[in-house]
Amino acid sequence: MMLRENEFVYTFTDEKSTILSYESNQLASNSPCEDTRTEASFNHKPGFICGVFDGHAGPACSQVISKRLLRYIAASLVDRKILKEQIERGCNSQSFLKCHNDKVDFVKEIKDIYEESFAKYVDTLSSRDPTDRSQAIEEAFMLLDKHMSDEALNKTSMMTMAVAMSGAVCAVAHVEDLDLHLASTGDCTAVLGSHCPETGQWTSKKLNNEHNTDNLQEVQRILSEHPKEESETAIRNDRLLGQLAPLRALGDFRYKWSTEIMNKYVVPLFGDHFVPPNYHTPPYLTARPDVHHHRLTVNDKFVVIGSDGLWDFLSPSQVVKLVAEHLNSKRIMEPIKLPENDVTLQSISDMLAERKAGRKRKPLDQNSATHLIRHALGGTDYGVEHSKISYYLSLPQDAVRYYRDDITITVIYFNTDRIKSLSSSS
C-alpha cells in the first residue's frame, strides 16, 4: 500500500538510552521526492540525532545535507581527545555516527569532494576549544553551507552547481541524557507531546518557530539587513524577493552570492532568469539555524518532526492527540500484566473490558507516522474518510503538487524510566 511503502521503525535495546524507539514515514508528492530524513546514533558517546529535510527547486540539496549535516554536527559534539584520535587513524565522514536507515551513498566523484571538505572541517575543529552544544550545532550548519558554496565555485560541475542552485530547509533534533536540542532552518516543525498523570491531559509544545512571513520577527530581521528602498522588494507576495517561501535555507546560493559571482558562474550556466529580480544587496538568505534547548521531564513522551506537508493538514495539538491515541491503543494491545499484589476478579474483569473497548479503537497502522499521514489526508470530524485518501493518492503526477506537498515525519519516543532515573540523580 502506498501509505506504508516508506515506513521505518527502530527500537533501542540499551536501557540507558533516553530514546526508546522512533517511527518514520514519507509520502511523496514531487517526483522525485524532495524530502529526505536521516536518523543516527553516536559511535563514541551516548546520544541520538535525527533530521527531516525539505528540499525545493529539486531534490539535490536536501539529499546532500541529509547525509552530511548530521555528520558535521556529530564531529563538532564529540570529545576533542576522541576527535584527534580519530584524525590520527584516518577518520572520514562516517567515523562518528551509525545511521539506521541509510541505503544509498554518493557516487565516487562527488563523495571524494565531500570527504575532502569534511577532513578540513575536523582539522579545524581539532585546533579549536570546544563550544557549548547550541553553538556547535549552529556552526555545523553554517560551515556545511559554506562548504557547499566553495565546492560549487572551486570544483564547478553540474553536480555541485545543482546542489548550489537548489535548497533545503530542515529540523534536526539531538538528544543526550536529559538535553534535547532542536535546530531549525526554514519551515519544518517539531512538536513535543507531554502527558500530565494527575489530569490525564496531553499538551503540545512547538520547539521551534518557522522562518516564513508568518514570523514577523523574521521579516523585520531581513528588512533591517537591507536599505529602506528595498523594503517593498526584499519580501514581496509573502516570499523572499517574490520567489522563495522559506526565509532561511541551506543551499539556494542564488540568494546569497554576490552579483559578481552570479554573473561569472550562474548566468553562463543557467541564464539571466536565474538571477532574482531586485537583486541589489546580497546576501538575502542565511542558513543560520535557531537552536532551542529543552530539558526533558518524565511527562515528556515523544517528539514529532515533520516537513510542512504535514502541517498543511494538521495542527500541533491535533498531531499530539493522534500520536497519543495511537500510543495508548498500542499499550492496550500488549499482553496483560497482572499486579504483583493481591488482585480481585473485578479488577481483572475491568482490565479485560478496557482491552475489549480498546480493540474497537485499534488503528489501522502500527507505525505512528503512517497513522498521522492517514489522518492528514483523510481526517474528518467523524473519523478517517478513505475516499479522501484515495482521491489524494490517485491524483495525476502533473496535478498532485497543487493539492499536497511531500510529507515526511519522524516520531521519537522517550524512555520514561531512563528519564526518571536521570532526573533523580541530577
Side-chain angles (χ1 to χ4, degrees):
M1 186 179 178
M2 283 181 65
L3 289 186
R4 296 174 180 161
E5 187 175 346
N6 297 306
E7 286 182 331
F8 188 80
V9 177
Y10 191 90
T11 301
F12 293 85
T13 56
D14 184 0
E15 293 180 355
K16 294 185 177 181
S17 171
T18 309
I19 307 299
L20 197 63
S21 64
Y22 73 85
E23 300 173 356
S24 68
N25 199 356
Q26 181 178 80
L27 179 68
S29 168
N30 295 287
S31 182
C33 182
E34 294 181 338
D35 281 8
T36 50
R37 54 190 165 149
T38 304
E39 312 87 33
S41 300
F42 288 77
N43 288 335
H44 306 289
K45 73 182 191 76
F48 172 75
I49 188 168
C50 73
V52 168
F53 308 86
D54 184 352
H56 46 263
C61 187
S62 66
Q63 290 174 353
V64 166
I65 66 167
S66 71
K67 293 180 69 67
R68 299 180 71 187
L69 179 57
L70 301 194
R71 290 163 177 168
Y72 272 59
I73 294 173
S76 72
L77 294 179
V78 76
D79 182 89
R80 287 295 185 266
K81 180 181 178 182
I82 294 174
L83 182 70
K84 291 176 181 177
E85 289 174 353
Q86 291 300 309
I87 292 173
E88 290 173 1
R89 294 176 184 175
C91 69
N92 58 34
S93 62
Q94 300 182 48
S95 298
F96 303 99
L97 284 181
K98 175 191 173 185
C99 292
H100 302 304
N101 187 25
D102 191 1
K103 299 172 184 175
V104 295
D105 203 353
F106 297 119
V107 296
K108 187 179 188 306
E109 173 195 348
I110 206 78
K111 183 176 181 179
D112 290 345
I113 294 173
Y114 294 161
E115 288 296 346
E116 182 182 338
S117 295
F118 187 78
K120 292 177 182 177
Y121 177 61
V122 294
D123 280 340
T124 301
L125 288 174
S126 68
S127 62
R128 292 168 43 194
D129 292 332
T131 57
D132 65 60
R133 287 178 188 169
S134 294
Q135 186 176 347
I137 293 170
E138 179 181 320
E139 289 178 352
F141 271 70
M142 297 301 287
L143 280 169
L144 174 58
D145 199 56
K146 181 181 184 302
H147 286 177
M148 291 194 298
S149 173
D150 293 343
E151 290 154 4
L153 298 177
N154 300 329
K155 300 181 183 295
T156 306
S157 69
M158 287 309 295
M159 296 180 75
T160 56
M161 289 301 290
V163 174
M165 290 299 99
S166 60
V169 300
C170 65
V172 173
H174 171 261
V175 182
E176 183 173 345
D177 295 333
L178 296 177
D179 294 307
L180 164 62
H181 288 84
L182 194 287
S184 64
T185 292
D187 53 8
C188 292
T189 301
V191 174
L192 177 72
S194 304
H195 181 255
C196 177
E198 289 80 13
T199 64
Q201 297 296 310
W202 285 89
T203 57
S204 62
K205 176 186 177 182
K206 284 182 64 176
L207 296 176
N208 65 307
N209 294 312
E210 297 85 356
H211 301 124
N212 54 32
T213 54
D214 292 333
N215 185 334
L216 295 182
Q217 186 176 357
E218 186 69 4
V219 171
Q220 291 167 359
R221 177 190 67 80
I222 292 173
L223 294 179
S224 71
E225 294 174 353
H226 300 279
K228 287 184 179 179
E229 36 291 14
E230 293 189 61
S231 60
E232 299 295 324
T233 58
I235 296 177
R236 186 163 49 88
N237 298 328
D238 290 331
R239 291 173 178 265
L240 188 71
L241 294 174
Q243 293 186 343
L244 191 66
L247 302 183
R248 297 191 199 186
L250 289 99
D252 282 321
F253 292 105
R254 65 194 186 107
Y255 302 100
K256 298 173 181 175
W257 283 337
S258 68
T259 52
E260 291 79 13
I261 290 176
M262 295 289 280
N263 289 328
K264 181 178 179 180
Y265 291 93
V266 176
V267 172
L269 276 174
F270 301 100
D272 291 334
H273 68 281
F274 256 70
V275 181
N278 303 298
Y279 196 76
H280 305 302
T281 55
Y284 291 89
L285 188 67
T286 180
R288 189 176 303 280
D290 284 334
V291 184
H292 299 267
H293 174 250
H294 176 79
R295 188 79 171 169
L296 293 171
T297 72
V298 292
N299 288 354
D300 299 329
K301 303 304 178 184
F302 56 81
V303 164
V304 180
I305 308 176
S307 59
D308 65 345
L310 170 66
W311 310 105
D312 288 341
F313 289 97
L314 298 173
S315 68
S317 59
Q318 288 175 313
V319 163
V320 167
K321 180 182 177 183
L322 286 166
V323 175
E325 289 173 351
H326 190 268
L327 184 61
N328 289 334
S329 68
K330 285 201 292 189
R331 285 174 176 163
I332 288 174
M333 294 302 106
E334 292 174 356
I336 292 178
K337 294 181 180 180
L338 295 177
E340 294 181 359
N341 53 344
D342 292 338
V343 58
T344 65
L345 288 174
Q346 183 59 50
S347 62
I348 294 175
S349 176
D350 292 342
M351 290 165 62
L352 291 172
E354 182 184 8
R355 187 178 179 84
K356 184 177 180 180
R359 285 189 177 277
K360 296 178 181 178
R361 302 191 301 270
K362 182 180 178 182
L364 292 173
D365 306 293
Q366 285 293 309
N367 187 303
S368 55
T370 310
H371 183 68
L372 287 173
I373 294 175
R374 187 179 297 279
H375 280 263
L377 299 186
T380 70
D381 292 339
Y382 308 101
V384 173
E385 188 177 307
H386 298 287
S387 60
K388 280 185 66 179
I389 299 174
S390 298
Y391 171 75
Y392 278 118
L393 296 182
S394 61
L395 287 166
Q397 188 57 54
D398 59 351
V400 62
R401 183 63 183 82
Y402 297 103
Y403 293 87
R404 62 176 178 86
D405 199 355
D406 299 326
I407 300 175
T408 300
I409 304 167
T410 299
V411 183
I412 308 162
Y413 291 102
F414 297 122
N415 183 347
T416 300
D417 290 339
R418 177 60 177 165
I419 290 175
K420 189 180 299 182
S421 173
L422 290 168
S423 299
S424 61
S425 61
S426 61

